[in-house]
Amino acid sequence: MQRLSQISYYLRESPMLAAGFIMVSIIVLFGLLGPLFVDTSLAQPLSTTPRMEPSWEHPFGTDDSGRDLLSVMVVGVPLTLRIGLLAGAVGLGLGIVLGFTSGYLGGRFDVVTRGIVDTLLTVPGLVVLVSIASTIREEISVNIMALVVASLAWMWPTRVIRSQVLSMRERAYVQMAKLNGMSTAEIIWKELFPNLLPYLAAQFANAVNWAILSSIGLEALGLGPQNDPTVGMTIYWAITFSALIRGMWWWWAIPIAFIGLIFVGLLMIAVGLDELANPKQRKAV
Amino acid sequence: MNWNYIVRRVALFLVVVWAAASVNFFVPRLGTGRDPIREKLGQLAASGGLRQDGIEAMVKAYQAKFGLDKPLYVQYLNFLGDTFTLDLGYSLANYPARVGQMIGNAIPWTIGLMVVSVLIGFALGTLIGALSAWPNAPPWVRSLAVPFMTLSAIPPYLLGLIVLYILGLKMQWFPLSGGYSPGMLAIASVDFYLDVLHHSILPALAIVLQAVGFWALGMRGMMVTTSGEDYVTLAEANGLRNRTIFFRYGLRNAMLPQFTALGLSLANVVAGQVIVEVIFAYPGIGTVLFQAIQSSDYTVINGVVLILIMSIGLVTMLMDFLYPLLDPRISHSRQN
Amino acid sequence: MSESVNNREPLLDISGLEVHFETRRGIARAVNEVDLTLYKGERFGLVGESGSGKTTMILALLRMIKTPGFIAGGKAVFDDGTDLLALNAEQVRQTRLKRVAMVPQGAMNSLNPVIRIGEQMMLTMREHGEEGERDELMARVVGLLEKVGLKPEAASLYPHELSGGMKQRACIAQAICLNPQLILADEPTSALDVVVQRQIMQTLRQLQIGLDATVLLVGHDMGLMAQFAERVGIMYGGKLVEVGTVSDIFRNPQHPYTQLLISSIPSFETRGDFKGIPGVALSLLDPPSGCLFHPRCPKATDACAQREPTLKEVSPGQWASCLLHEEEHDATAS
């Protein structure tokens, strides 16, 4: 109950966060409730008349191979979200472990971690993923996709969490806890973790954002799950079959609208949480 | 800056290249237990065709370096040797084209498009972000920041589809694809350059539209901090002009972390722009990569991946060398 | 308070100065009807605990009060008739540094970290229309640096290459580059160690005498005030409660608040910070009726909660704002 009231306090305090929250909720509800109202079998090729403009019967139109785009979205949006959440969770988890250890312990471990993270960040992740994904192209499924993306989703969380832990370590209340004889694990769990929660939430939003962005980037290059109608693959097929020049705007515009809603929502959540964590930034809005 | 630092930084760059090359070598071999290049060569050899001779030559050359009779470490050393001499081999799909040559043809297009649009996006975004956090800025500038920050959330290639549809297909103001008109002679003439410029506006616009908000968002936070610094207050108390305080005291100092961010984000920025080229069939390195993926041309994929990692590593290294010129407090002479 | 002190001419006549801050819970009067005349060539010290309005007063004279604060009334008239508070934005900009200069509180971070000291000073001079060749301006900069005790080489250094005391000297050199008539110094040595503090204050004093400028020094270190200032003003809750010469204020304080301040100073050579006064700190949002100090005042009477005292001359050159003295006046008058 206390958590809930705190969340509602955050939402009232930051309209940005609330707007982002609403946007992402709409997407999630669409994926959860969609199958109750929409016939998902129409997401299969050759299940209906191809190349139809949006109408009452097919609100989002149909594509070249006879798939109803509303059904495709109902099936595809949760798949894309799953990639993002899975990879984001793995990335954040690794980031928390590495960031806390590195920031709190310091020393040689910190130097090595920091060096690796800063170096990997300058490597174009998507390009490395292209190299990995292109060799296993035929075997890519939604879960493998998530793992491939997660393999590079931990650097930013590690970097940000590390520097936050580093600055918190010196604050008075942590020093007090140390003097009171709390163990390192206790200090991390009882003192640092709760204070970092808004940061961690913001980092999770960022990591999910990055993961979805990367997965859609890979899919736009054709390196996605070939048999699953994820949002990114829908865009890939639209590009491959020149939907743009053939005037089938609904084919690419609808997945873009969904992606836009996800990304803008996640960005607003991240920015909103960041503002809550750094009250100094709030003045700027 | 001293030699010690330069040597260490160059060594780090070489380590990055080595790591990238190793990923290229080991991921296909260890991950799936097979070598896709060998498989592809096998397919090509079996299917026969007009250029059978060439393919046989290619298979022989490949066997000499990476044959199964060779131990893995010999193959690996051969691979590293090729990498560091920039010998990227032949294209599997377009024999006898060499990978280096294909990338070489494409790279001026990519560099031209990217440098211009990254710089415009960075400059505009930095300015708008700084103004949006400056207490004395006109309100309309502040309101400008919001739509740009929204656009920054959407990948540039998707913005590309939208501008392509509106400005290219509906308005017909700009060509839909390519780097220049098909009938055009690719020679250095004013007409040709204007044609190239005309073709580059839409892809550049897509990149800039996304980048402005991205840089504005980062800059806003830094400018909030900087505008509260004592030296900004004293500059105002000393009666400096608003414009001077904004540019030379506020922006100039808030930009320093922005440059660090540019170095760290360059990788992601470039990756997004590679796909923009695909959308516009722009004759750059992204399109080469896309076509290589379509035709399972693994040597080209590996080559593009390696070149992209190397060039971004190179730019990041140069930025590290230049940074002390921007911030006098940082000097590489001390251990840091 | 218009007659001269030590036969000096008035420089700036502040009257009825009001600075308000708008908050969610109402308006706070951070500076409350302050009347004060500063004389040419004098060193005036303004003392008060934090929140007493002394820093706000300095910012008001620089016209640097930021929202939610605003100057709600009053005048600050120079000897030539210019009212500081009536100038437009561009006039304010030109007045700063040329007539009113500030020596900042936090010298550690008061210089632009990416511009060399000399370049910063030249930039500042050019912004005020000081034309001239680079060499000419540079020669002036070097002259200024020597005046504050810095070597000419300091001109080509970046701020981070200077020590705290050197930075403060550079700030002072910049403050006097256009020969201002009034120098506002807000605890200019609070971040420095004691030895450097003394040196800086000596430099400031020499310069002030050389320029025949007026210095308004704000601080809470009574010892520093006693050494530096000729006259002292005491502020409480945005009001000026007592003004007088240093010796009058220290030997014969008239306002109960001043008396408590003086008696709370560690006795050794009257040096050190004051320790605070018993009682609940004043809330500017919910001020008491009558005299602002009466809830904490040991000498308060019933009348103090009813009537607001005004600044009255208690003895020649010494003014206090306390009903105690008004009643004495009334008593002797009747």
Side-chain angles (χ1 to χ4, degrees):
Chain A
M1 260 338 274
Q2 206 189 344
R3 277 282 146 73
L4 270 180
S5 74
Q6 199 173 7
I7 289 174
S8 76
Y9 165 78
Y10 280 167
L11 291 181
R12 259 180 290 128
E13 197 67 1
S14 165
M16 182 91 95
L17 181 63
F21 210 73
I22 291 171
M23 285 166 132
V24 173
S25 305
I26 290 174
I27 296 287
V28 171
L29 283 180
F30 175 85
L32 286 179
L33 303 180
L36 303 179
F37 302 101
V38 178
D39 182 2
T40 51
S41 68
L42 293 180
Q44 297 298 321
L46 305 177
S47 56
T48 182
T49 324
R51 295 180 286 279
M52 295 229 297
E53 276 193 46
S55 62
W56 277 113
E57 202 186 338
H58 301 287
F60 289 174
T62 64
D63 74 359
D64 225 16
S65 53
R67 298 188 290 186
D68 174 61
L69 280 168
L70 177 60
S71 309
V72 168
M73 287 298 110
V74 167
V75 177
V77 165
L79 291 178
T80 296
L81 287 179
R82 192 161 98 203
I83 296 176
L85 288 173
L86 257 176
V90 172
L92 183 75
L94 278 173
I96 287 176
V97 171
L98 287 172
F100 269 93
T101 336
S102 172
Y104 197 82
L105 295 184
R108 190 163 292 176
F109 183 80
D110 181 43
V111 173
V112 172
T113 314
R114 210 186 127 194
I116 291 177
V117 165
D118 279 2
T119 310
L120 280 183
L121 278 176
T122 65
V123 173
L126 185 76
V127 174
V128 176
L129 297 182
V130 163
S131 158
I132 298 172
S134 64
T135 63
I136 53 167
R137 193 170 173 190
E138 281 80 32
E139 288 114 282
I140 293 180
S141 68
V142 167
N143 289 340
I144 288 182
M145 189 81 184
L147 283 182
V148 169
V149 173
S151 69
L152 290 177
W154 53 274
M155 282 105 70
W156 269 116
T158 304
R159 190 172 200 271
V160 176
I161 292 168
R162 174 191 165 273
S163 69
Q164 281 304 321
V165 170
L166 215 56
S167 78
M168 284 208 165
R169 196 174 64 169
E170 302 308 323
R171 300 235 178 110
Y173 60 89
V174 175
Q175 298 297 328
M176 277 305 289
K178 237 183 232 173
L179 291 174
N180 285 340
M182 265 180 152
S183 72
T184 303
E186 259 182 311
I187 291 176
I188 290 183
W189 184 244
K190 288 190 181 155
E191 302 288 336
L192 295 181
F193 209 74
N195 283 296
L196 275 173
L197 267 182
Y199 275 104
L200 297 180
Q203 281 312 303
F204 183 60
N206 277 333
V208 171
N209 197 338
W210 189 86
I212 296 182
L213 188 70
S214 303
S215 74
I216 288 178
L218 283 178
E219 288 166 346
L221 289 170
L223 294 171
Q226 307 289 317
N227 301 318
D228 290 313
T230 62
V231 184
M233 285 315 284
T234 311
I235 289 176
Y236 170 68
W237 297 123
I239 297 171
T240 310
F241 292 106
S242 314
L244 193 97
I245 295 169
R246 291 161 65 194
M248 295 169 69
W249 57 267
W250 60 91
W251 195 356
W252 53 267
I254 282 163
I256 286 184
F258 274 93
I259 291 174
L261 214 54
I262 296 176
F263 282 149
V264 174
L266 284 172
L267 176 84
M268 286 176 133
I269 289 179
V271 172
L273 284 170
D274 219 37
E275 275 168 6
L276 285 175
N278 302 301
K280 214 177 171 187
Q281 293 230 345
R282 241 183 292 177
K283 284 188 224 146
V285 188
Chain B
M1 174 138 33
N2 64 359
W3 284 107
N4 190 12
Y5 175 75
I6 295 178
V7 169
R8 273 191 296 136
R9 190 61 187 79
V10 171
L12 182 67
F13 167 69
L14 293 178
V15 166
V16 169
V17 176
W18 164 77
S22 304
V23 167
N24 267 350
F25 180 81
F26 283 111
V27 163
R29 283 170 177 80
L30 300 183
T32 58
R34 62 193 181 86
D35 177 355
I37 299 183
R38 183 187 316 287
E39 286 177 11
K40 181 79 182 173
L41 278 171
Q43 282 171 24
L44 287 174
S47 64
L50 289 172
R51 288 174 305 200
Q52 193 65 32
D53 292 350
I55 286 165
E56 267 168 23
M58 195 155 63
V59 171
K60 258 184 202 147
Y62 191 80
Q63 287 293 357
K65 276 182 180 163
F66 306 109
L68 284 176
D69 52 325
K70 304 274 189 298
L72 196 65
Y73 78 92
V74 175
Q75 294 183 39
Y76 180 52
L77 287 179
N78 282 332
F79 189 82
L80 286 187
D82 285 356
T83 300
F84 280 93
T85 51
L86 284 181
D87 175 5
L88 303 173
Y90 290 99
S91 159
L92 295 177
N94 302 302
Y95 185 84
R98 291 191 68 91
V99 176
Q101 184 193 339
M102 287 170 70
I103 293 175
N105 290 341
I107 227 162
W109 294 96
T110 298
I111 290 178
L113 178 64
M114 267 181 201
V115 167
V116 173
S117 40
V118 166
L119 288 184
I120 292 177
F122 182 78
L124 263 178
T126 299
L127 196 63
I128 289 176
L131 281 171
S132 78
W134 191 246
N136 297 328
W140 66 267
V141 181
R142 285 159 169 262
S143 57
L144 206 63
V146 176
F148 273 119
M149 285 179 199
T150 310
L151 283 181
S152 78
I154 301 167
Y157 43 92
L158 299 185
L159 293 178
L161 283 174
I162 297 170
V163 295
L164 196 54
Y165 181 72
I166 298 171
L167 300 178
L169 202 69
K170 287 285 153 187
M171 301 290 186
Q172 305 205 332
W173 288 347
F174 299 100
L176 294 174
S177 67
Y180 52 91
S181 301
M184 208 76 184
L185 282 175
I187 48 164
S189 67
V190 175
D191 278 355
F192 179 69
Y193 286 130
L194 283 178
D195 189 51
V196 167
L197 192 69
H198 196 208
H199 277 77
S200 67
I201 286 177
L202 280 190
L205 183 66
I207 296 169
V208 168
L209 275 182
Q210 191 261 341
V212 166
F214 178 79
W215 297 117
L217 196 60
M219 191 63 185
R220 191 184 63 158
M222 287 177 274
M223 199 65 177
V224 171
T225 313
T226 308
S227 63
E229 295 282 2
D230 291 339
Y231 50 79
V232 173
T233 311
L234 185 63
E236 195 187 347
N238 280 343
L240 269 63
R241 290 189 175 87
N242 257 328
R243 174 188 295 261
T244 312
I245 302 175
F246 175 72
F247 281 107
R248 301 200 56 180
Y249 283 70
L251 189 81
R252 175 71 175 76
N253 281 289
M255 286 254 306
L256 297 173
Q258 186 84 337
F259 273 110
T260 316
L262 180 63
L264 286 174
S265 322
L266 205 60
N268 273 331
V269 170
V270 169
Q273 298 181 4
V274 160
I275 309 178
V276 171
E277 289 185 1
V278 176
I279 303 288
F280 289 91
Y282 202 75
I285 204 166
T287 304
V288 170
L289 179 67
F290 182 66
Q291 284 164 356
I293 292 171
Q294 297 285 309
S295 55
S296 300
D297 192 341
Y298 295 105
T299 48
V300 174
I301 296 176
N302 285 347
V304 171
V305 167
L306 191 75
I307 292 290
L308 280 177
I309 291 175
M310 273 175 114
S311 39
I312 289 170
L314 209 61
V315 172
T316 325
M317 183 169 73
L318 287 179
M319 286 174 66
D320 278 356
F321 286 152
L322 290 178
Y323 195 72
L325 298 181
L326 296 170
D327 188 348
R329 285 163 296 182
I330 305 289
S331 77
H332 292 313
S333 55
R334 268 167 293 138
Q335 201 83 15
N336 54 20
Chain C
M1 291 210 335
S2 53
E3 74 265 41
S4 67
V5 173
N6 300 336
N7 297 321
R8 283 174 174 156
E9 296 289 315
L11 173 73
L12 184 69
D13 193 30
I14 304 165
S15 56
L17 181 61
E18 287 273 345
V19 181
H20 294 179
F21 281 82
E22 234 180 279
T23 71
R24 278 185 200 173
R25 295 192 293 129
I27 284 183
R29 294 173 81 176
V31 175
N32 189 339
E33 266 187 82
V34 167
D35 299 319
L36 177 66
T37 304
L38 296 171
Y39 294 89
K40 284 185 185 166
E42 78 163 330
R43 295 184 297 278
F44 190 94
L46 201 55
V47 188
E49 47 197 0
S50 58
S52 63
K54 53 191 196 314
T55 301
T56 313
M57 241 187 83
I58 281 204
L59 290 176
L61 293 179
L62 279 163
R63 292 282 301 276
M64 282 185 49
I65 303 286
K66 297 275 157 71
T67 45
F70 58 96
I71 296 175
K75 285 183 174 168
V77 184
F78 266 107
D79 51 346
D80 67 350
T82 324
D83 181 2
L84 256 182
L85 305 186
L87 300 178
N88 67 27
E90 178 57 19
Q91 287 167 330
V92 165
R93 186 185 81 74
Q94 285 173 2
T95 305
R96 290 175 184 162
L97 209 61
K98 233 175 222 171
R99 295 192 85 160
V100 187
M102 182 166 95
V103 176
Q105 183 170 19
M108 296 313 288
N109 197 21
S110 286
L111 293 163
N112 190 338
V114 296
I115 308 183
R116 292 173 204 273
I117 304 292
E119 300 291 333
Q120 272 186 63
M121 291 177 64
M122 287 197 287
L123 174 68
T124 306
M125 280 151 68
R126 288 210 182 94
E127 288 280 298
H128 282 283
E130 300 289 300
E131 303 293 332
E133 294 293 309
R134 198 192 146 76
D135 293 352
E136 244 171 84
L137 286 179
M138 201 49 161
R140 278 175 66 184
V141 165
V142 168
L144 287 163
L145 291 176
E146 280 173 340
K147 260 190 191 168
V148 298
L150 287 175
K151 289 184 183 143
E153 293 85 68
S156 56
L157 295 179
Y158 286 103
H160 74 277
E161 296 170 306
L162 303 181
S163 70
M166 287 159 87
K167 276 186 218 173
Q168 188 58 288
R169 285 173 191 277
C171 284
I172 293 174
Q174 186 161 266
I176 59 165
C177 71
L178 301 176
N179 299 327
Q181 295 165 290
L182 177 60
I183 299 171
L184 308 174
D186 186 359
E187 308 205 11
T189 56
S190 60
L192 304 171
D193 68 66
V194 181
V195 179
V196 182
Q197 266 185 21
R198 279 185 74 105
Q199 294 170 346
I200 297 270
M201 293 315 290
Q202 269 169 9
T203 309
L204 194 58
R205 184 187 191 140
Q206 283 165 9
L207 290 168
Q208 175 263 334
I209 292 169
L211 289 168
D212 197 30
T214 304
V215 172
L216 177 58
L217 175 73
V218 161
H220 60 267
D221 183 340
M222 291 294 271
L224 207 69
M225 285 295 168
Q227 285 172 0
F228 182 82
E230 296 161 300
R231 284 204 303 150
V232 174
I234 313 285
M235 285 192 83
Y236 183 80
K239 275 190 166 298
L240 197 59
V241 295
E242 183 161 2
V243 180
T245 62
V246 167
S247 59
D248 284 346
I249 293 277
F250 276 79
R251 294 212 188 99
N252 191 18
Q254 293 298 318
H255 195 283
Y257 177 66
T258 319
Q259 289 163 1
L260 281 169
L261 270 188
I262 303 292
S263 65
S264 69
I265 295 172
S267 60
F268 185 65
E269 278 197 309
T270 67
R271 181 157 238 300
D273 295 357
F274 48 74
K275 284 170 180 164
I277 312 255
V280 188
L282 176 73
S283 159
L284 287 176
L285 282 169
D286 184 22
S289 61
C291 171
L292 291 177
F293 187 58
H294 87 262
R296 294 165 80 183
C297 182
K299 297 179 180 170
T301 62
D302 292 344
C304 294
Q306 315 287 328
R307 266 176 61 204
E308 216 178 317
T310 52
L311 211 54
K312 292 257 157 58
E313 188 159 26
V314 185
S315 61
Q318 187 172 11
W319 301 62
S321 162
C322 179
L323 288 183
L324 233 55
H325 299 291
E326 291 188 18
E327 273 154 21
E328 274 169 25
H329 270 274
D330 297 347
T332 45
S334 61

